[in-house]
Amino acid sequence: MTISLTQAILLGLFCGIAKCCIPYTAGAFMYNTVIFNAVIVGAVLGDMSQAMMIGASLQLIYLGVIAAGGNQPTDPCLAAYVAIPVAMASGLNTNAAVALAVPVGLLGVQISNLLYLVAGFFAQKADVYAEKGDAKGMIGRSIVGVGFMRLICFASLLTVAVYFGSGALQGVLDDIPKFVTNGLTAMGACLPAVGFAIIANLISKPKFVPFFFAGFFMIQYTKIGTIPLLMMGAFITFLYVTFTKNEYTSNAGYDDDEDDDEDEDEEEFANEERILSKKDVFKSYLIYWFTAEICHSFERMQAPGFCAALVPALKKFYPNKEDKPHYIEALKRNMTFFNTEAHWGGGPCLGLTLAMEEKKSRNYDAIPGEMIVNLKTGLMGPLAGIGDTISWSTLMYLFIGLFLPLAKQGNPLGGIGPIVLLTVICFEIGYFLTSKCYTFGYSFAENMLKSGLINMIITGASILGLFMMGGLAATYVTVSTPIKFATSTYTTTLQSILNSIAPGILPLIVVLCIWGYLAKVKRNYFAATLGVTIISLVLGCIGVII
């Protein structure tokens, strides 16, 4: 296959759009995974089946990758847009594509970090417009300008890499020795263990670890498919949460008098005549959902997107010319540092900020501006932890695991299904929380944090996630050993001995070693990936594993 200039340009544009993270849910899915990007590559190059099969193999090494707190250990998106088309054009097998993806992903992180640094200067320029009350100029510099910078940078780099890289690589591949090819095969078999170990480490507590083993050996002994595994995991999770629910409700108790006072305040706040309609609140969340990550910089993170979401509401709160100084102050205080998970964190923070800005506009001196800033700053961290755990560490990879068998068969639904489900569910959660926090104020967010229901959701998600990751690890970590023992009467293999102890014990050992390193030694994803890459490549080259 030869990649034309037009195809290379299209791939570059799609990669640039994905790196802009528009809108938040679907954009972050493409930013942190491979599988939907494989659908786009297949559509552009006209070979969907091959693109999906390669993409499914690449996805396995990036399970567990999330940009928590804005920090991303590697770049699955750029790796997908380089490794998949180059592999298709050069005739690489999936294991060689995996080997190509690893360094590209690491390079992508450094490019992104450089752009995040530069984006801070755009935010500073936007402050000049905020000082004048010019929201359009503020948004143009801090959001639109940053978005175009990221789009042009990644689009141009990707176009050049894909158009010129595939042909140059083909000549190199023809000269690769057999033992190196064996090493690449072994590396491709081991690297998926990194992804499973990362996500297991993210969502696990010590008492939940047995659920990982349960899922792993369920697959090894029964060979059931992904759907039956999910149904069984859901049933086990339901039983566990049901029989332990008293632990969560007992920890969420309040003082009755304090609870009654909160209910009275909540009812009084809800019964006030509101300036914003449901349509206005929806519009604010929609703007935030679209712009939250386009503007990302080390200096302000999501602040420009958050402020942009407030602009239509602030114009309603301060409609008169004499209100302009108050409007400017509102823009300035909401352009300060802000970063959270945009569904579970951004929704409540946005709803509460809308409510408090509205109250302040009614009686400007009654609520200090610092109170609004401190409120969202205090909530963004705890709520981000909830969102990262539920939406990104668990739900996203559950959906990917559920559809991954389709992707392995070359079916584009394997990439489309997870992104659609995650986007619909998470958007509804984010808007619901925005609306409720605007309507009922601080007490709703406080009750949500203290509620036993949140802890039950996190527990259930962790158990089901570990159970499924165990089953998927048993399916996709395929490392084995070809070592043989021969006597004068018979020949046996080390692999058969290991299988007699427990089927799949070698893949399990690989996953557990990486998991142990991340949990007990150092939570360094780069070091884990690099270590597994080197060790598996060497062992594969000398014939210890395949």
Side-chain angles (χ1 to χ4, degrees), residues 27-34 59 62 65-67 72 76 396-397:
F29 184 96
M30 291 187 287
Y31 197 95
N32 290 300
T33 66
V34 172
Q59 181 61 72
Y62 292 117
V65 172
I66 61 170
Q72 193 181 37
M396 180 169 74
Y397 288 110

Side-chain angles (χ1 to χ4, degrees), residues 267-275 355 358-359 362:
E267 184 177 353
E268 179 184 349
F269 191 84
N271 288 334
E272 287 184 358
E273 183 180 352
R274 313 315 297 269
I275 296 176
E358 181 176 323
K359 269 184 167 290
R362 294 175 186 273

Side-chain angles (χ1 to χ4, degrees), residues 127 130 138 300 302-311 314 317-318 326-338 349-350 352-354 356-357 360 369 372-374 376-377:
D127 289 338
M138 180 191 74
R300 306 290 177 87
Q302 297 176 355
F306 189 85
C307 186
L310 295 172
V311 167
L314 293 176
F317 299 156
Y318 304 109
H326 294 165
Y327 173 72
I328 291 173
E329 286 299 318
L331 290 179
K332 289 166 61 178
R333 66 173 159 264
N334 287 293
M335 272 292 285
T336 56
F337 181 92
F338 180 77
C349 288
L350 181 60
L352 288 171
T353 302
L354 288 170
M356 295 192 72
E357 288 287 359
K360 186 171 178 62
I372 299 174
V373 174
N374 292 339
K376 68 180 184 181
T377 302

Side-chain angles (χ1 to χ4, degrees), residues 166-396:
S166 57
L169 186 62
Q170 184 61 56
V172 176
L173 294 175
D174 294 337
D175 298 326
I176 292 180
K178 176 67 174 175
F179 75 91
V180 175
T181 303
N182 294 338
L184 293 174
T185 300
M187 187 174 67
C190 288
L191 276 174
V194 178
F196 292 115
I198 289 173
I199 194 167
N201 185 56
L202 284 172
I203 66 177
S204 69
K205 294 181 179 179
K207 64 180 180 179
F208 299 151
V209 171
F211 291 101
F212 179 87
F213 290 97
F216 185 90
F217 287 112
M218 181 67 68
I219 288 291
Q220 290 290 350
Y221 282 106
T222 65
K223 307 299 181 184
I224 61 175
T226 307
I227 299 297
L229 182 71
L230 177 65
M231 294 172 65
M232 187 170 295
F235 180 67
I236 292 171
T237 301
F238 171 76
L239 290 179
Y240 183 91
V241 172
T242 300
F243 286 113
T244 60
K245 63 181 179 181
N246 290 335
E247 295 180 16
Y248 313 109
T249 54
S250 63
N251 292 332
Y254 298 97
D255 179 77
D256 289 339
D257 294 335
E258 183 180 319
D259 215 17
D260 290 340
D261 291 340
E262 287 180 359
D263 288 341
E264 290 174 6
D265 293 341
E266 190 173 288
E267 184 177 353
E268 179 184 349
F269 191 84
N271 288 334
E272 287 184 358
E273 183 180 352
R274 313 315 297 269
I275 296 176
L276 300 181
S277 64
K278 288 184 178 180
K279 183 179 179 180
D280 293 327
V281 176
F282 178 80
K283 181 180 180 180
S284 286
Y285 183 70
L286 193 64
I287 293 172
Y288 174 62
W289 186 67
F290 265 93
T291 63
E293 285 296 330
I294 306 174
C295 55
H296 190 105
S297 68
F298 287 135
E299 184 176 328
R300 306 290 177 87
M301 295 290 184
Q302 297 176 355
F306 189 85
C307 186
L310 295 172
V311 167
L314 293 176
K315 288 181 177 179
K316 283 198 167 188
F317 299 156
Y318 304 109
N320 302 317
K321 189 174 181 179
E322 58 268 22
D323 295 327
K324 190 170 182 179
H326 294 165
Y327 173 72
I328 291 173
E329 286 299 318
L331 290 179
K332 289 166 61 178
R333 66 173 159 264
N334 287 293
M335 272 292 285
T336 56
F337 181 92
F338 180 77
N339 192 42
T340 191
E341 195 278 332
H343 310 115
W344 297 86
C349 288
L350 181 60
L352 288 171
T353 302
L354 288 170
M356 295 192 72
E357 288 287 359
E358 181 176 323
K359 269 184 167 290
K360 186 171 178 62
S361 70
R362 294 175 186 273
N363 186 353
Y364 197 79
D365 296 325
I367 299 179
E370 293 81 4
M371 181 183 293
I372 299 174
V373 174
N374 292 339
L375 176 65
K376 68 180 184 181
T377 302
L379 286 175
M380 69 183 188
L383 293 175
I386 293 172
D388 286 340
T389 300
I390 297 176
S391 295
W392 302 111
S393 296
T394 306
L395 278 181
M396 180 169 74

Side-chain angles (χ1 to χ4, degrees), residues 57 59-64 98 186-201 212 216 469 472-474 476-479 506-516 518 528-529 532 536:
S57 297
Q59 181 61 72
L60 293 172
I61 69 172
Y62 292 117
L63 289 175
V98 167
M187 187 174 67
C190 288
L191 276 174
V194 178
F196 292 115
I198 289 173
I199 194 167
N201 185 56
F212 179 87
F216 185 90
M469 288 307 110
L472 292 171
Y476 294 114
V477 183
T478 58
V479 61
L506 191 56
L508 181 61
I509 289 172
V510 174
V511 174
L512 293 180
C513 286
I514 303 168
W515 189 354
L518 294 173
T529 303
V532 172
S536 60

